[in-house]
Amino acid sequence: MERDDVLLPVEPVFLKSLRSHVYGLVRDAILSGKLKSGEKLNERQLAGSLGISTTPLKEAFRILEAEGLVRSEPRRGIYVTFDPAQAEEMMLARAAIESMIARQAAKRVSEEQILRMRALLIEMRTGLETVDVLELINLNERFHNVIHEASGCAYLRRLQGGQSIYNHTARLSVLSEERERFLAVEEHEAIADAIAERKPDLAEQRMRDHVIRSGEKHLIRVSQSEDQKDRA
Amino acid sequence: MERDDVLLPVEPVFLKSLRSHVYGLVRDAILSGKLKSGEKLNERQLAGSLGISTTPLKEAFRILEAEGLVRSEPRRGIYVTFDPAQAEEMMLARAAIESMIARQAAKRVSEEQILRMRALLIEMRTGLETVDVLELINLNERFHNVIHEASGCAYLRRLQGGQSIYNHTARLSVLSEERERFLAVEEHEAIADAIAERKPDLAEQRMRDHVIRSGEKHLIRVSQSEDQKDRA
DNA sequence: TGTTTGCGTTTGATATATCAGATTTCAAAT
DNA sequence: ATTTGAAATCTGATATATCAAACGCAAACA
């Protein structure tokens, strides 16, 4: 055993399965509204246009079905199931789970993790002044990651990931507002305080309110841009 | 149209897909501990022993994977991923989602729904005295259903369903305790009060505490019976 | 004219075959 | 004795074939 530690394992990204690839494609199409709710997805036709067989496609459908983005009627077909109401519920689900994670984090956080949160918050303040939105997005994610890590809840974290419906572009759009950037950092600081002081109830409440408030902002933006498309 | 109404639609249970059947089979095996965490599931072998082809089986694996009960390593195989820690996290997830549902219910509940909750609670009190545990389980479910209905959150309800890891037997076991039966009814009454008074925060908090408390009870029972098996 | 029945087409469900990555084995080399 | 590496083998990923249910449309009938 000599110097194994210097060799990082190669990211196995490039051998991602067809299934997961087409899953991502369809998922994005649904969430972005390219596939309307109620629309029927023809297995063979879609497989044909994607240049793959039906086997990986129907596996992708099972994942989407488990996530609640499509509904499968036996011997009938699979139908898209996603509308603004469900988008809001997914946001609420994210709030519920993320706040439960925050609660657990407040019980288990280490001193080292508290320091890391504080450091990130200071960086956020800086990013606020330099109006570096990209950096702010990155810091936000790292901040939440520290909390996830502190919670020790791998399953909840995974479940939470399934409820995110907004892509990078949408985040950029929301954080383009000065007021929103300011609010986000304020709320993150409040959450960090609650966790650092080991107050589970408070941490949960603040995290929930934060996710719901910023989530509503997203939803409003999306519905507005949908309206614009409709007028066109 | 002549007398169609007297003909109830046949329960389409028997034409349930193979996929969903084997999904249920494997899921139960994992949750009940018959399949240990880390165990590898061989596609062909399992398909063979079940007397089916690999196609519906691998679809079932995708659902289980989306639920976080198995993990798939490309070109390697699929491995069971379920241990006591995850069981506890699933219970916490249930608490998080169910309490969010209660919160929404407190905002939207109708007078008629409040009356139905009250009626169920009265029946529970009766079931408490006659020690009709089966009836109590039934009433519990109907009570929660009213709340789900009041919340109007179809997606959250669905997501919640995926976090239930205990079967009828387990529920029976827990409610065999006099004290547990009493506590459950007390908590349900408190939850109903909060919802009837349209207090979202209170309803959420009470529902969360209820799910976590009774969930911990379940977890303890399970770990104890696991210990017994280990000694055998 | 409205309803029903029948058959051909479509399409999802399932089975089987093929491909390619991963593991194992075991002998040759050091 | 240990290492290496190539072939055999295992196994999941993907493609293709087959089966049967559901749909649609038109002919038959009332």
Side-chain angles (χ1 to χ4, degrees):
Chain A
M1 169 174 352
E2 38 182 60
R3 303 187 57 80
D4 275 3
D5 45 314
V6 297
L7 291 177
L8 293 175
V10 174
E11 283 288 337
V13 172
F14 51 84
L15 44 84
K16 206 173 59 171
S17 61
L18 275 184
R19 168 215 319 147
S20 60
H21 185 241
V22 56
Y23 157 74
L25 276 178
V26 179
R27 185 176 202 274
D28 287 348
I30 293 174
L31 294 179
S32 71
K34 282 198 280 279
L35 292 173
K36 306 289 181 190
S37 190
E39 197 162 333
K40 181 178 178 180
L41 299 179
N42 184 307
E43 227 177 67
R44 289 180 188 179
Q45 178 188 316
L46 190 51
S49 68
L50 289 171
I52 62 173
S53 80
T54 65
T55 312
L57 179 58
K58 65 194 319 156
E59 288 185 72
F61 281 160
R62 291 317 142 219
I63 306 174
L64 291 165
E65 188 183 9
E67 281 186 0
L69 293 178
V70 306
R71 170 178 43 90
S72 164
E73 294 187 14
R75 306 276 172 188
R76 289 289 192 87
I78 78 120
Y79 299 86
V80 177
T81 313
F82 183 72
D83 56 20
Q86 179 163 331
E88 171 148 32
E89 282 191 62
M90 287 177 80
M91 182 276 288
L92 291 177
R94 209 169 77 82
I97 299 162
E98 190 86 80
S99 62
M100 179 59 80
I101 291 174
R103 155 177 290 266
Q104 297 303 103
K107 293 180 183 172
R108 302 173 177 173
V109 67
S110 72
E111 291 302 322
E112 188 270 337
Q113 286 159 338
I114 293 176
L115 290 179
R116 260 196 287 158
M117 280 198 299
R118 300 267 187 236
L120 287 170
L121 287 170
I122 290 173
E123 284 197 69
M124 281 185 204
R125 281 278 175 202
T126 312
L128 211 54
E129 283 158 24
T130 61
V131 198
D132 190 341
V133 178
L134 246 40
E135 176 69 3
L136 215 48
I137 290 177
N138 178 26
L139 290 169
N140 275 1
E141 191 180 326
R142 284 164 64 194
F143 178 78
H144 281 278
N145 278 344
V146 175
I147 296 178
H148 291 168
E149 187 191 307
S151 76
C153 294
Y155 176 83
L156 287 179
R157 184 179 190 167
R158 203 177 160 292
L159 189 62
Q160 198 276 331
Q163 313 308 131
S164 68
I165 56 182
Y166 304 113
N167 53 27
H168 189 72
T169 316
R171 288 176 220 285
L172 248 173
S173 159
V174 163
L175 282 181
S176 68
E177 278 184 42
E178 165 88 38
R179 177 174 158 69
E180 180 61 31
R181 288 196 297 274
F182 179 76
L183 264 179
V185 174
E186 287 277 300
E187 289 171 353
H188 284 158
E189 284 174 339
I191 291 167
D193 287 343
I195 292 177
E197 293 168 30
R198 272 90 173 175
K199 294 180 176 171
D201 286 334
L202 193 61
E204 174 171 45
Q205 177 211 309
R206 285 178 177 173
M207 179 63 87
R208 170 164 49 68
D209 292 347
H210 164 61
V211 174
I212 290 181
R213 191 201 54 75
S214 67
E216 296 289 2
K217 202 111 196 176
H218 268 101
L219 291 171
I220 288 169
R221 285 219 162 233
V222 171
S223 68
Q224 281 176 345
S225 62
E226 287 294 316
D227 288 349
Q228 284 184 348
K229 274 194 289 185
D230 287 349
R231 274 198 296 278
Chain B
M1 177 191 323
E2 39 183 59
R3 304 186 56 81
D4 273 4
D5 44 288
V6 297
L7 292 176
L8 292 176
V10 175
E11 281 290 337
V13 172
F14 52 83
L15 46 83
K16 210 174 56 174
S17 60
L18 276 183
R19 166 210 327 135
S20 60
H21 185 242
V22 59
Y23 156 74
L25 231 54
V26 178
R27 185 176 201 274
D28 288 347
I30 293 174
L31 293 180
S32 71
K34 282 199 280 279
L35 291 174
K36 305 288 181 194
S37 191
E39 197 162 332
K40 181 177 178 182
L41 300 179
N42 184 307
E43 230 177 63
R44 290 180 188 178
Q45 178 187 316
L46 189 51
S49 69
L50 289 171
I52 62 173
S53 80
T54 63
T55 313
L57 179 58
K58 65 193 318 156
E59 289 185 70
F61 281 161
R62 291 316 142 221
I63 306 174
L64 291 165
E65 186 183 10
E67 281 186 0
L69 293 177
V70 306
R71 170 177 43 90
S72 165
E73 295 187 13
R75 307 275 173 187
R76 290 286 193 90
I78 76 119
Y79 300 86
V80 177
T81 314
F82 183 73
D83 56 20
Q86 178 161 333
E88 172 149 32
E89 282 193 62
M90 287 177 80
M91 182 276 288
L92 291 178
R94 209 168 78 82
I97 299 162
E98 190 86 80
S99 63
M100 179 59 80
I101 290 174
R103 156 178 287 267
Q104 296 303 101
K107 293 179 183 173
R108 303 172 177 174
V109 68
S110 72
E111 290 304 321
E112 187 270 338
Q113 285 159 339
I114 292 175
L115 290 179
R116 261 196 286 158
M117 280 197 300
R118 299 269 187 236
L120 287 169
L121 287 170
I122 291 174
E123 284 197 69
M124 282 186 202
R125 281 279 174 201
T126 311
L128 212 52
E129 282 159 22
T130 62
V131 198
D132 189 340
V133 177
L134 245 41
E135 177 68 2
L136 216 47
I137 291 178
N138 178 25
L139 290 168
N140 276 1
E141 191 179 327
R142 285 164 64 194
F143 178 78
H144 282 277
N145 277 344
V146 175
I147 296 178
H148 291 168
E149 187 191 306
S151 76
C153 295
Y155 176 82
L156 287 179
R157 184 179 190 168
R158 205 177 158 292
L159 188 60
Q160 198 276 330
Q163 314 307 130
S164 67
I165 56 182
Y166 303 115
N167 54 28
H168 189 73
T169 316
R171 288 176 220 285
L172 248 172
S173 158
V174 163
L175 282 181
S176 68
E177 279 184 39
E178 164 89 36
R179 175 174 158 70
E180 179 60 31
R181 287 196 297 275
F182 179 75
L183 264 181
V185 174
E186 287 277 301
E187 289 172 351
H188 283 157
E189 284 174 339
I191 292 166
D193 286 344
I195 292 177
E197 293 168 29
R198 271 90 173 176
K199 293 181 177 171
D201 286 333
L202 194 60
E204 175 172 45
Q205 177 211 308
R206 285 180 177 171
M207 179 63 88
R208 170 165 48 71
D209 292 347
H210 165 61
V211 173
I212 290 180
R213 190 200 55 74
S214 67
E216 296 289 4
K217 203 114 202 175
H218 268 102
L219 292 170
I220 288 168
R221 285 221 162 230
V222 171
S223 67
Q224 281 176 345
S225 61
E226 287 295 316
D227 288 350
Q228 285 185 347
K229 274 195 288 188
D230 287 349
R231 274 198 298 277

